[in-house]
Amino acid sequence: MALQLKNTYTKRVEDFTPLDPSGAVTLYSCGPTVYSHNHIGNFRSFLLADVLRRVLEQRGHSVRHVMNITDVGHMTEDHIADAAGEDKLSKAGRQLGLHPYEVAARFQRSFEEDAKALKLKNYADRDAQDATLHPRATQHIPEMLDMIQRLIEREYAYIDSVGQVYFSVASFPAYGQLSGKVLGELEAGARISVREEKRDPRDFALWKVDPKHLMQWDPHSAEGWPDGEYARLRALVPGGVSKSIARGFPGWHIECSAMSRASLGPVIDIHTGGEDNVFPHHECEIAQSYGARQTADAPLNFSRYWVHARHLLVNGTKMSKREGSLITVKALLDPAHAGPNRLTPELVCAGFPHGQVSAAVLRFALISTPFTQPMNFTVDSLVQAQANVSRWQSLYDRLQHVGGTDVAAHEIRDLVASALQQFDAALDDNLNMSRALAAVFHVISNANQRGLSAGDALLLRQFLEHADEIFAVLDPPLLSGQLSNTELKQLAEDPAFDATLGEADDARTVGQLLAARWAARSARDYARADQIRRHLAAHGVELDDTRDGVRWRKI
Ligand SMILES: [Zn+2]
C-alpha cells in the first residue's frame, strides 16, 4: 500500500507520489516565530513534519526538509489575514529590554535546543549545520520584495498612499479554497484598515510601513542593509522595485511564500503546519505564490499536498499566552531553569521529580495521538507515555543479552512479520500513530511472556529499531556483562564460534570477541589478543580482567 495523506487542500485522503520521478521529496514546514520559548502546541506541528519525513525516508524517499525561522513581521493579531497589533519580536524586545535582533538570536537558540532534545531530524547531523534548510525571514527580504514587485506588476497587489503594499484578494478567485471559507466569513474576519485605503476589507498587507518599527528595510537605498543583501535585491529586480514602496518590513505571509520558493523551487510536494495556520497564513501563501508565478503553466496551488496537525489542548482547554497558560517545552524538560508551570504540582504528585519530564517521554506523548485528531495533553498522558517508553526500552535492553540458538521460533517470525506489516500499514494510513503503536506493544507484550533465543532476539530487535526510526524514543542499549574463564572456553570451543573481528554492537558479538581473545591468550598469541583488545576499544568496549574472567562495558 502506498502512503496516503489527508490533503487539506482537496479535503481528501490521497496517495502520495512526489513530483520528482526519482522519488526525491520537497517538504516545507512553517517553523517557529522566535520571540519566546516554543510551547508544546508549536512542537506538535513541528513533530508532525518530523514524523512525516521519517516515514518518507523509511519508504526510500530522500527528503529535503526546509523549516523556516520567522524573526520579523509576525504580528500579535495573527488570526486576522491583515494582522495589526505589534510585531511579536518588537513586543518581546520591549518587555525584555532587548533589540528585536537579540530577541531573535536568544529564542532561536532556545528553539534549537528543544528541537535537538525532541530529536527533530532537521536539527540532527548534517541538516543541523545546513543554514539553507533553516531560512530566516530577515535574510530573505530581497526575495520577498522581488515577489511583491511581481505581484504589483501583474496587478495582484497595489500600493497605498504611505507606501504599504496590499494583496488584492479579489484578483485571486481561488482565495478560500484551502480553508473552505466563503466571502461573507472572510469579510467578517477582516480588519478594516486604519487609513481605510484597502480596496477590499479582505486584502492583506505584503509590505508594512511603521516608522516606530525597529527592523526596517529601504527598498531604494543600500543604507542599513546587511552586506550583499541590497546587491541581491538589485540582481533579482534589476529595474528596482516601484518607487512608491516606502521603507518598511514584510508581512508574515509573504515570508513563507518567498522562502519556500527560494529554498525548494516554485512547486513543492508537501507543506505542513498547525491547523491554526490554514487560515489566514497558508491561504495567503497560496494566493501570493500563484500571483508571483514565474511560468505560465504554474498550478493554482504551489504545494501539491497540505498536511496539518490538529490543535493541542491542555487539560481540555486551549493554551493562551494572554492568560499565562502556555506550557513550553523548556518548562517540562528543564523546570529548574524555566521555573514551575501550572502542571508542576500534578507532575510531582505523579512521580516526576521536580516536575521534570524526559525528552523521549515528551516526544512520545506529543506524537502518539494521530495528528488528524485534536490532542488533549494531560499529566496522565505523560504518565502513560513514561510507562510505555520504559516498557519499550527495557525489552530492547533485554534483547541485547539473549544467548542460545540463532534459530528464531516460527511464532516469533510470524509475530514480527505481521506486526511489521501492521506498523507500516498504520503509518501509510495517514500517519495513524496510535495504530502503529498498538502493533509495537502487541510485540512487546508477547515477547515479555516467553523465553527467547538469540535468533528471536535479533528479529525482535530489528522490529523495535524499525519502529524507533519513526518514534525516536529509545536510548542506545546499556551494554555490560561479565564472562568467566569457563564460559569463555565454552564459547571458544562451540562449533558456532566465530573468530572474525565483527562489529561489537551487542552482548553476543562482544562475547564472541572476548572468547577469541581468550583463545589467543591460551595459545600464547599475545599479538592477536592485543589486536582484539584494540578492536573492542575502537567499538567503545572497556575491559577489566579479573582472576576468574573478564568484566566489560560498552560506553
Ligand atoms: Zn509559514
Side-chain angles (χ1 to χ4, degrees):
M1 198 173 101
L3 172 62
Q4 296 192 311
L5 295 171
K6 168 83 189 286
N7 186 348
T8 313
Y9 192 79
T10 59
K11 323 276 181 288
R12 286 194 302 264
V13 176
E14 297 171 351
D15 281 1
F16 174 75
T17 44
L19 190 60
D20 183 338
S22 78
V25 174
T26 48
L27 170 62
Y28 184 90
S29 305
C30 284
T33 301
V34 283
Y35 70 107
S36 65
H37 298 302
N38 271 262
H39 60 71
I40 52 177
N42 302 136
F43 261 90
R44 181 159 153 81
S45 99
F46 305 149
L47 284 164
L48 157 66
D50 183 63
V51 166
L52 177 54
R53 173 201 175 138
R54 287 168 179 270
V55 171
L56 288 163
E57 288 181 345
Q58 206 169 59
R59 305 288 177 273
H61 298 285
S62 72
V63 181
R64 182 164 168 79
H65 183 196
V66 171
M67 183 185 272
N68 74 294
I69 301 276
T70 295
D71 54 1
V72 66
H74 196 162
M75 310 306 273
T76 49
E77 294 174 23
D78 62 14
H79 57 289
I80 298 170
D82 185 23
E86 194 175 355
D87 190 306
K88 292 185 177 190
L89 272 292
S90 301
K91 186 176 175 188
R94 201 161 39 73
Q95 289 164 344
L96 295 167
L98 296 172
H99 188 279
Y101 282 119
E102 294 169 314
V103 174
R106 174 185 294 190
F107 292 109
Q108 182 172 343
R109 261 198 316 278
S110 159
F111 166 73
E112 287 168 2
E113 287 163 10
D114 296 345
K116 286 195 166 96
L118 290 177
K119 303 244 183 98
L120 262 60
K121 250 189 141 172
N122 60 339
Y123 277 91
D125 309 326
R126 274 218 312 271
D127 271 24
Q129 312 303 324
D130 185 347
T132 66
L133 301 180
H134 314 285
R136 277 164 48 194
T138 51
Q139 294 179 339
H140 290 78
I141 306 292
E143 286 75 11
M144 295 172 203
L145 282 166
D146 173 29
M147 255 189 167
I148 290 171
Q149 182 61 25
R150 279 172 179 275
L151 289 167
I152 294 169
E153 285 167 8
R154 299 225 182 112
E155 299 183 351
Y156 284 95
Y158 57 92
I159 310 170
D160 75 1
S161 65
V162 296
Q164 305 197 99
V165 186
Y166 288 101
F167 186 91
S168 165
V169 166
S171 69
F172 185 64
Y175 193 73
Q177 173 79 44
L178 178 74
S179 59
K181 286 191 186 289
V182 292
L183 186 65
E185 282 178 275
L186 291 167
E187 280 181 345
R191 179 175 74 94
I192 305 299
S193 165
V194 180
R195 282 179 280 270
E196 301 211 341
E197 286 196 49
K198 287 205 283 188
R199 293 179 188 163
D200 182 323
R202 298 171 301 163
D203 293 352
F204 56 90
L206 301 170
W207 189 255
K208 302 184 187 207
V209 172
D210 174 0
K212 295 191 300 299
H213 200 272
L214 293 170
M215 291 180 279
Q216 305 252 10
W217 291 264
D218 182 347
H220 313 291
S221 155
E223 204 180 315
W225 287 74
D227 276 354
E229 294 271 297
Y230 187 72
R232 209 166 82 239
L233 171 63
R234 296 301 302 204
L236 285 166
V237 194
V241 300
S242 299
K243 284 280 169 287
S244 31
I245 303 180
R247 184 168 181 265
F249 61 99
W252 176 37
H253 314 308
I254 194 75
E255 296 179 0
C256 282
S257 279
M259 286 187 278
S260 69
R261 186 167 84 182
S263 49
L264 294 172
V267 177
I268 63 171
D269 284 313
I270 311 174
H271 195 311
T272 71
E275 70 173 331
D276 55 337
N277 292 147
V278 173
F279 186 86
H281 188 49
H282 292 162
E283 194 78 76
C284 296
E285 276 187 48
I286 291 173
Q288 297 160 158
S289 294
Y290 180 74
R293 66 193 179 277
Q294 287 158 313
T295 56
D297 60 350
L300 265 182
N301 165 17
F302 75 104
S303 176
R304 301 172 60 244
Y305 299 81
W306 288 87
V307 181
H308 292 97
R310 298 293 311 276
H311 60 268
L312 175 141
L313 301 171
V314 176
N315 289 335
T317 56
K318 225 178 144 187
M319 287 188 288
S320 145
K321 188 166 173 64
R322 201 168 304 145
E323 289 164 19
S325 61
L326 295 181
I327 304 287
T328 63
V329 168
K330 290 252 173 334
L332 296 172
L333 298 187
D334 189 9
H337 287 97
N341 62 82
R342 67 182 163 124
L343 295 180
T344 306
E346 217 188 317
L347 282 165
V348 171
C349 281
F352 291 92
H354 312 293
Q356 187 172 17
V357 177
S358 79
V361 167
L362 180 57
R363 181 178 162 100
F364 187 99
L366 288 173
I367 66 177
S368 46
T369 303
F371 296 101
T372 46
Q373 291 171 18
M375 179 190 170
N376 189 22
F377 186 90
T378 61
V379 167
D380 199 43
S381 65
L382 290 168
V383 170
Q384 291 290 329
Q386 172 142 293
N388 285 332
V389 170
S390 137
R391 276 183 79 202
W392 188 342
Q393 182 76 49
S394 40
L395 174 62
Y396 186 59
D397 288 347
R398 187 186 136 212
L399 295 174
Q400 315 298 322
H401 295 278
V402 175
T405 165
D406 277 341
V407 180
H410 66 87
E411 293 94 330
I412 292 289
R413 283 183 189 283
D414 291 351
L415 175 73
V416 167
S418 100
L420 192 61
Q421 192 270 330
Q422 284 169 25
F423 181 84
D424 290 349
L427 293 173
D428 279 345
D429 181 10
N430 200 17
L431 309 180
N432 191 324
M433 305 302 281
S434 47
R435 252 179 49 213
L437 273 181
V440 174
F441 283 92
H442 179 67
V443 165
I444 294 174
S445 303
N446 272 272
N448 282 340
Q449 282 165 18
R450 50 181 295 151
L452 299 170
S453 70
D456 297 334
L458 180 64
L459 281 182
L460 289 163
R461 208 176 78 196
Q462 284 167 345
F463 170 71
L464 295 184
E465 285 169 355
H466 176 84
D468 196 56
E469 281 173 15
I470 308 302
F471 278 83
V473 293
L474 288 179
D475 281 330
L478 276 179
L479 281 178
S480 65
Q482 104 177 53
L483 289 162
S484 68
N485 288 326
T486 319
E487 286 168 319
L488 288 167
K489 183 167 185 285
Q490 279 168 0
L491 279 175
E493 287 168 359
D494 190 291
F497 172 61
D498 177 7
T500 53
L501 300 189
E503 301 291 310
D505 56 5
D506 60 19
R508 199 169 153 274
T509 50
V510 172
Q512 293 285 304
L513 288 160
L514 290 173
R517 178 169 170 265
W518 178 88
R521 283 176 145 198
S522 304
R524 298 184 181 274
D525 184 353
Y526 296 113
R528 168 79 176 155
D530 201 45
Q531 182 199 11
I532 298 169
R533 186 190 55 75
R534 284 198 309 272
H535 177 80
L536 282 159
H539 284 83
V541 179
E542 286 181 346
L543 303 183
D544 180 13
D545 287 308
T546 63
R547 202 142 49 109
D548 305 327
V550 60
R551 271 202 296 268
W552 63 272
R553 144 180 119 90
K554 184 157 169 148
I555 47 171

